[in-house]
Amino acid sequence: MTIEITATFSMEKVGGRTLRVARWRWDMPGDHPPILFFNGIGANIEAVAPLAEALTDRPFIMFDMPGVGGSPEPLVPYNTFTMSWTARELLKRFGADTVDVMGVSWGGAMAQHFTLQYPGTVRRLILAATSAGMVMVPGKPSALSKMANPRRYVDASFMEKHFRTLYGGLTGGKSEHINRLTPPTPRGYVYQLLCMLGWTSVPMLPFLKKEVLIMMGDEDQIVPLANGRILEALIPNSRLEIFEQGGHLFMLTHREQTLSSIRGFLDAPDRDQKKAA
């Protein structure tokens, strides 16, 4: 099944970098803030487009990292601080003062950093299949070795053969997912890896005052469930939801549960409203 992408695409130059940006329902009237989404390593916009398409009741924005998807190759490395600044400048350009932030895997680390760097911009935070960075429980070596190989984006047969080792859990929808992937450039992939070198959110997470939903698959071989438990222990106002038989791509294999969890979390009353009631 092919997912039609209804997003508005544009090439935006911010801080010397040109990025391919996708926005869904940006001018739609409503009370919901937009979702700012940070993708996994090497993953292009199309890989997560089905999620954006399915969240029909709210605006959604994401962009390809430098050298990934349709964004030109980076000339110099970047880090979490500069890329968070870049994302904030994009939001200001499109008139978004407040957002809900979501990140998956590598993007979950970016989502944490963005929220810590710009707390006044973020209402709520969703972390999927991610960790606190350098201080993490590592995945299985068999999965990590293949995850680090860019061939998974270039060679469809390689991805098909190692899909379960890479992502664990159920494998429904894998062909559609593989067909949506575009290989990153070698430099783009390496720079994205280097961005998180030595990074951890552990010292700052106890001071994170946002409401946070942590979603983890119990069969994730890349970012094991234990990392979600660490995040829940460190973040004061967090809740962990475990996806049974969920691998690293549980958002694909457990689509309806994922959508229900996201909507339920984002639409729930604020903590202050709950206390008043």
Side-chain angles (χ1 to χ4, degrees):
M1 179 179 66
T2 302
I3 299 292
E4 180 184 0
I5 300 179
T6 61
T8 298
F9 286 88
S10 61
M11 301 298 291
E12 305 292 334
K13 190 169 184 177
V14 183
R17 294 186 178 87
T18 300
L19 300 172
R20 178 177 177 246
V21 181
R23 290 174 291 143
W24 281 261
R25 300 169 294 275
W26 203 253
D27 298 321
M28 180 183 72
D31 299 327
H32 298 303
I35 293 176
L36 168 64
F37 189 90
F38 290 101
N39 216 338
I41 191 163
N44 51 300
I45 288 169
E46 287 76 7
V48 184
L51 174 67
E53 295 287 344
L55 291 169
T56 55
D57 56 343
R58 61 189 71 234
F60 193 105
I61 183 171
M62 65 185 303
F63 58 92
D64 285 332
M65 286 290 167
V68 175
S71 292
E73 192 170 65
L75 297 177
V76 294
Y78 53 88
N79 55 36
T80 51
F81 181 89
T82 57
M83 196 48 63
S84 292
W85 176 87
T86 300
R88 181 66 187 98
E89 290 300 303
L90 278 175
L91 293 176
K92 290 195 290 186
R93 179 170 300 180
F94 294 122
D97 297 321
T98 302
V99 292
D100 291 319
V101 177
M102 181 174 181
V104 60
S105 193
W106 183 95
M110 274 302 313
Q112 291 173 63
H113 190 96
F114 181 91
T115 302
L116 291 165
Q117 188 168 326
Y118 296 108
T121 301
V122 180
R123 188 184 71 110
R124 293 183 181 177
L125 173 62
I126 300 175
L127 303 175
T130 194
S131 72
M134 183 176 62
V135 181
M136 72 172 289
V137 177
K140 290 186 177 181
S142 58
L144 294 175
S145 63
K146 294 176 179 64
M147 186 76 175
N149 190 342
R151 186 180 168 193
R152 64 192 174 104
Y153 293 105
V154 180
D155 187 345
S157 62
F158 178 88
M159 175 69 106
E160 180 80 22
K161 179 180 178 182
H162 299 293
F163 194 90
R164 187 174 181 86
T165 301
L166 276 166
Y167 298 115
L170 304 173
T171 55
K174 67 178 180 179
S175 296
E176 292 83 358
H177 177 72
I178 292 171
N179 291 335
R180 287 194 297 267
L181 296 178
T182 300
T185 69
R187 183 188 298 173
Y189 194 74
V190 169
Y191 280 8
Q192 203 172 359
L193 285 170
L194 290 176
C195 177
M196 291 296 169
L197 188 64
W199 178 90
T200 181
S201 57
V202 165
M204 294 303 297
L205 289 182
F207 303 99
L208 181 58
K209 302 305 180 185
K210 305 298 177 182
E211 293 184 66
V212 181
L213 173 64
I214 304 160
M215 302 191 297
M216 303 291 294
D218 64 357
E219 293 186 9
D220 193 335
Q221 299 185 48
I222 295 171
V223 185
L225 172 58
N227 291 286
R229 299 195 188 281
I230 292 172
L231 290 172
E232 184 185 31
L234 289 172
I235 303 172
N237 300 305
S238 64
R239 173 171 64 85
L240 173 63
E241 180 164 354
I242 300 171
F243 289 69
E244 294 184 3
Q245 291 187 282
H248 198 59
L249 292 183
F250 65 80
M251 292 197 304
L252 170 69
T253 59
H254 297 60
R255 180 177 181 273
E256 294 307 317
Q257 184 182 351
T258 298
L259 292 172
S260 177
S261 298
I262 292 172
R263 289 196 177 103
F265 173 69
L266 294 181
D267 292 342
D270 292 337
R271 290 193 312 275
D272 293 341
Q273 294 176 333
K274 293 177 185 176
K275 291 178 181 177

